[in-house]
Each structure stands twice: as structure tokens, then as C-alpha cells.
Amino acid sequence: MPEMNPFSVDIMKFFKRKHFGKCSTDKDLVVSEFDTDLRQYRIKVDENLAEQLLKKFDNATLKCTYQVIGRKKKSSFPDKDFSLSNAEHLSQSFLVPKTIDFIFTECHAVREKTELKLLQKDAFLFVQNRLKHRQKDPPSDVESKPNVIILGIDSTSRMNLRRSMPKVHKFLQKPGWFEMQGYNEVGKNTLPNLLALLTGNAEKKAQLNGQFRRSGFIDKLKYIWQLFKQNGYMTAFGEDCGKINTFNNHNSGFEKQPVDYYLRNFIVALETIFKTRRQFGNVFCLGRKLSFKYLFDFAKQFMQRFQNAAPVFGIFWSNSFTHGDFLGATALDQVFLEYLLLYDKLGFFDRSIVMVLSDHGYRYGVTRQRSKSGYLEERLPIMFIHVPPWFRKRYPQHVENLKINQNRLSSSFDLHLTLHHLLQLNATSMADFSPKLQSSQCKSCQSLFFQLPYDRNCFQAGIGEKWCSCEPTETETNQVLIRKVAREVVRHMNEHLRSRNLTKLCNNYTLKKVLYMDSKLAPNDDSLENDQLHTYIVTFDTNPTSAHFEATVQWNTEKETLTMNVDELSRLESYEKYSKCTRDPIVKKYCICKSFK
């Protein structure tokens, strides 16, 4: 795997630090706090601030109401909907019933029954501890059932973390943190990479067949959080963007709530109710607050509520800063650091296995179009694992293996088995694992607490040729060969449109220009067939619209024939405006709609 320079000239000429504007400069009129004696949340109205705000209105009083946000279970697509109760009076100090998870509040200046002005609206989330028993001390099995917390930052490569989030990177260098520097993506976008992590299967065929768009399909998969639940864990899952949510972007989402605490419907409601602001390519502000803060406050409450009651498994995934702009991470650095420092201060890391990771690097834009290193950057996302002091003392061999594995090839299939390992920490080898737990798409994958082979290849890690970053490349200079291969690629693309009956919907392509073609240097192999087959990475533009593509293909030098999977084409610029005629996320990559003007 080639070493990469995050600060290379071809990237740094496009790099600049960004800042985000505050969502609101208003003081909080309504605040939430947790009553530690009653073990309940309380909502309070700031009477002093209310008095100041009401001075602008003669003889006005304050009227505050709340509405409960919930999941509309009878909806055709419950993940894409929400319920909102009738408005109820919000008293100056309101003790939130334990049956309520989310509320929306409004405060008006009123004179008699006339509403003069909306002063402020807000939303609050509550992770309610509904366990029937309460423990004052941590569970006795804290070391056999550690908390498992996954903090995800979308589209963030190892390189961009160092460039854009130096403060976070410095925090992740602390004792107990291990960086899997050879962690390689297994698929194009968030869904296959997270599925590999959560289910052990990237479901490639199901995605191509459009099964994820069918209601109920997503619910039928076997998720690792179900196994944690069976082992006494409380479970949570949240993302901070409703439109590009992992399981809902062009897909139907879950019919049934998949975990104990689920943020989805709250975020969908807020994106509907509140005025939103976009920055870095996505919804950024939900009313008065960052969507990112709603997500990581949710994570904080989840860990707090069960700190002395039960082990927890939670995955908290952020898209808002980083999905649409590779420079968005520069604005996230301080915000994310503050949450990591807060979690550390509150003691969450003392009993938790924590993973800070991404699904892939940035997939389009200047890093992919203007930089040769962008090919590797896309394929090598961040992956850090934290193990607390007691774990390092009790399982020294696991920790030693983590150290070794930092510089070996790994994938989310391995990470899936690592999660299984956390439920059976006394296992001494993969032979101790039930065959049923083995990743269905990678039979040779294994827990990261066991030593990975030093000469491991991508196939053994469940990584396809398209995504493999292990093989060095050299730039091809034979212009006749380059044009010949590129023309065959475009011909295959047009044939693919015909075979999928897309010619009425999508334009045919013509080759505009080849930017470069790299040859993958194959391992030593004396076979004749291997001498004839060459793997090329071709980057080229097509008409119409100067679409920018990258294809990984095999070329037979003797027969001058080409093999490629058109569905695995990479599109190196945003294609949203060109592909509105189809809902299929695979087809969207390469369809230039005839209806586009």
C-alpha cells in the first residue's frame, strides 16, 4: 500500500480552512436539564429572559406549548415520516414523563388570546431509562460486557483527517487508541461499507436488484445490534441528516424501529418543522442548533443514562459537515474535539470500546479530479479503536495484536467479527467462533484482536479489485493502447445501457478525452494467462456534459478484449442534477438523463 502525503502540492492548492456560521445568536428561552434525584428530565422556561423579550409588547404574557414527536407506525414508510401530538401547555418547570422521547416547543408573546409574535421554537430529545431495576453501582460484569460505541464521520479519509482535523487527530493519538492504517473500504458508498460492519455482508446483489427499495427488506437482515441486545445491552442508532441517511437514501428504510433508542424520526421531523440552513453541501442547521450537536448530545445522553445500569451498544453517524464538501471537516475539528473531551471527562471511555471511523474517503470533487492520490484517499477511510486501561491489563495479547494490525490490511468485515469478539472476549482464535458468525462475504476475515497475516491480500480481506489499494501502479504512456482501451470502455458503457433497457432514459456516451491510465503492477506470476491480462485504471471524460469517470478494467493484450463491471464505475463529480430521471442509486452514477437541460 503506497505511502501518501496528506499535504501534497496538488491537494494543498485547493485546501483552505472553513468556518461555520452560528445557527442562532439568541439565548435559550427554554432549557432541558436532568433531575438526578427524580431521575427524570425537566424542561424550564427562563423567566428573566422572557421578561426581557416581553418588554417590547404592552401588557403581553408568555405562552409556551409543547408537542410530542414520535414514530408514525402505521405509515407506509415509517422511517420517512413522523407523528406530532396536539399542542399542550408548557409550564415554567415541566417534569417530562418517561414515556416521551422527543418534543417540539414554541413560545409566543400573547395579549389575552391573541398571539402577537413567535419568540422562539426549539426541540429536545430525552434518552429515558425505562429499565425496571436501578443499580447504584456499575454492573459487576463491566469487564466481560464493555460498552461499545461507534462514532462515524462520513467521507473522511486518513489523509483528510490529518489535513482538516489536526485537533481531533491529536486526541486520537492518546494512550489506548490504535489506528488501523491499512483499513480499506469494501464498496462505493456508505450502505455497503456499513452493512459489512453491521451484518457481515455488503449485500452487493441485493443493491443491484433494487431490493433495498422494497418495503421490509432492510428489516430482514441480521444486524449485530440484535446480538448485543440478546446479551443484555441497550442499543441506539442515530444519524444527523434525514435526506442522506444510510438506510433511507433512495431506499425505504426500516418498517420497525431497529434499536431501543432511534433518532431517525426526530431528525425527519426537525427537517420538516424548522427552517434549515445548508452549508458544506448538506442540511447544517436545524432551527437554532447544529444537526451534528443533536446527534452527539443523543450519544452523550445514551451513555449517561445507562452508565451505572446496563452495558450499551450505540452507533452515531454524522454526514452534515463532511459528506458534501471535503473542506467541511476543517469546520468540524473544534466541535468534534469538544465532544470527545466531554465524553472523556464524563468517564465514558473508562469502560467503553470506542471506534471512530468512516465509510470511505471523499469520492468526487477536486481530490478525485485533480489529484492522483485521490484514488487512494477515497479507498482508505479513518479507523481508530480505543481500549480502556482495564482492557489493556486483562487482555494484553489482544492489545499486542491490535498494535501489529495497525500496519496490516483490514476491512469492515474484520471489524464485524471484532464486534462479535467483544461478546466472547475469552476466545483465543477464530476456531472458537461459531461458523454462523463468520462474515458471509469474507470467510477468511477475522477479529482485529487476532493477528492478521502480514502478506494478506485484498481477496482475503473481502475487498474487491475495484477498491483494492494494495497494488502499486505505474502510469501508462502508450497513447495508442490508452485510446484503444478507453474506446472499449465507452463501448461497454453504451452496451450496458442497452442491456438494461436504459437507452430511452439515458444518453449514449462518446469519448471526449482520456486524462490518464494507470496499470496495476501484478504480483509475480509466471503463468501465460497472467502475462496477457492487465488491470488498468482509466480516468476519462465523456460527452454529453463532460462527465468525469474512472473505470477499473481487465485488458487481454493478445485478444485485445476488455472485461469490466459498468455498475462499479466511479463518477468523479456530483451527478445529482444530471440523473433526476431515475431513482436507482446505481444507475444514477452513469445515467446522463435525456430530459436534462
Side-chain angles (χ1 to χ4, degrees), residues 87 398 459:
H398 290 353
F459 176 79

Side-chain angles (χ1 to χ4, degrees), residues 131 222 510:
L131 291 175
K222 294 182 179 180
T510 57

Side-chain angles (χ1 to χ4, degrees), residues 414-425:
D414 298 312
L415 198 53
H416 176 72
L417 291 165
T418 307
L419 294 175
H420 278 296
H421 200 164
L422 291 170
L423 291 171
Q424 50 185 77
L425 279 168

